[in-house]
């Protein structure tokens, strides 16, 4: 019930292409879904996040698509650049209501390589 | 310059020794977290604290201990009871309001190697 499953494990995309990473969750009480970007040897950085009251959120080249009925959400990176090469983690948590702790449940991560 | 500081960046210890990892934040965040990251794996929660003098176990607390005596500090001790302590340790913090955002911000991490 607490798992977040992320796919693919690794992804290679040509410069200018679209990178798509998918996540699925089980707990319907989750109401906050962030994506983090991590470069080697660094801490993860919050990239973009969505809450289930909207189906899509866009910030620059990064878009989250959210499908509440399917319990899935995905990250789309448009016009992918070599500088986007990093590991991406999806996560989920329960922000509101009883039992909210802010605890994030992370997916396993996707290593993205954007080829020049 | 606001943020989360973890020190040291690299730490080496002999098996059987306890070691304490430092985490300090000047963001005035209420909640702090410790995660462990192993190669090719996601982040696993060790301990978290929502307010001073209170903390809860995460998913993999065995062999670890924490304290939260000050709002800005949340040190993690890796004890000799931890079977496989070599890993990348990440500290995070977030505002805990009960109704607002729980956006977590991470420190730069400490890579611990135990031989």
């Amino acid at each position: 019930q607490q798992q977040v499953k992320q796919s693919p494990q690794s992804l290679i995309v040509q410069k200018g292409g679209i990178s798509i990473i998918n996540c699925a969750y089980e707990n319907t009480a989750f109401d906050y879904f962030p994506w983090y970007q991590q470069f080697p040897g660094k801490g993860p950085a919050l990239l973009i996040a969505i809450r289930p009251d909207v189906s899509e959120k866009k910030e620059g080249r990064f878009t989250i698509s959210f499908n509440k009925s399917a319990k899935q959400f995905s990250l789309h990176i448009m016009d992918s650049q070599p500088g986007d090469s990093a590991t991406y983690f999806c996560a989920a948590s329960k922000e509101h209501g009883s039992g909210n702790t802010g605890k994030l449940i992370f997916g396993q991560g996707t290593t993205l390589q954007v080829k020049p | 310059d606001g943020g989360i500081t973890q020190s040291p960046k690299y730490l080496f210890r002999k098996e059987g020794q306890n070691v304490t990892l430092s985490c300090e934040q000047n963001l005035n965040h209420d909640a702090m977290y410790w995660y462990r990251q192993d190669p090719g794996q996601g982040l696993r929660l060790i301990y978290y604290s929502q307010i001073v003098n209170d903390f809860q176990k995460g998913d993999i607390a065995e062999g670890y201990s924490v304290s939260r005596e000050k709002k800005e500090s949340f040190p993690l001790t890796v004890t000799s009871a931890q079977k496989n302590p070599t890993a990348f340790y990440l500290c995070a913090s977030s505002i805990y309001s009960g109704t607002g955002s729980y956006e977590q911000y991470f420190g730069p991490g400490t890579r611990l190697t135990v031989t």
Side-chain angles (χ1 to χ4, degrees), chain A residues 43-56:
Chain A
L46 180 62
L47 190 61
I48 186 173
I50 197 167
R51 292 177 175 82
D53 52 341
V54 296
S55 60
E56 186 175 282

Side-chain angles (χ1 to χ4, degrees), chain B residues 1-53:
Chain B
D1 187 23
I4 303 172
T5 310
Q6 290 187 246
S7 61
K9 188 174 177 63
Y10 299 97
L11 192 53
F12 299 89
R13 280 293 184 271
K14 294 291 187 183
E15 198 173 310
Q17 293 180 334
N18 291 355
V19 59
T20 298
L21 281 59
S22 168
C23 178
E24 303 277 332
Q25 55 97 2
N26 60 4
L27 301 168
N28 199 33
H29 284 174
D30 296 300
M32 297 186 74
Y33 310 81
W34 272 106
Y35 293 89
R36 170 184 172 134
Q37 186 175 28
D38 295 285
Q41 297 192 29
L43 284 71
R44 292 183 291 170
L45 183 65
I46 303 173
Y47 268 99
Y48 65 103
S49 168
Q50 294 171 325
I51 55 172
V52 174
N53 293 322

Side-chain angles (χ1 to χ4, degrees), chain A residues 32 51 95-96, chain B residues 94-105:
Chain A
Y32 174 63
R51 292 177 175 82
E95 280 195 331
H96 300 95
Chain B
S94 70
I95 298 172
Y96 174 68
S97 68
T99 58
S101 166
Y102 281 98
E103 291 182 357
Q104 286 191 24
Y105 296 90

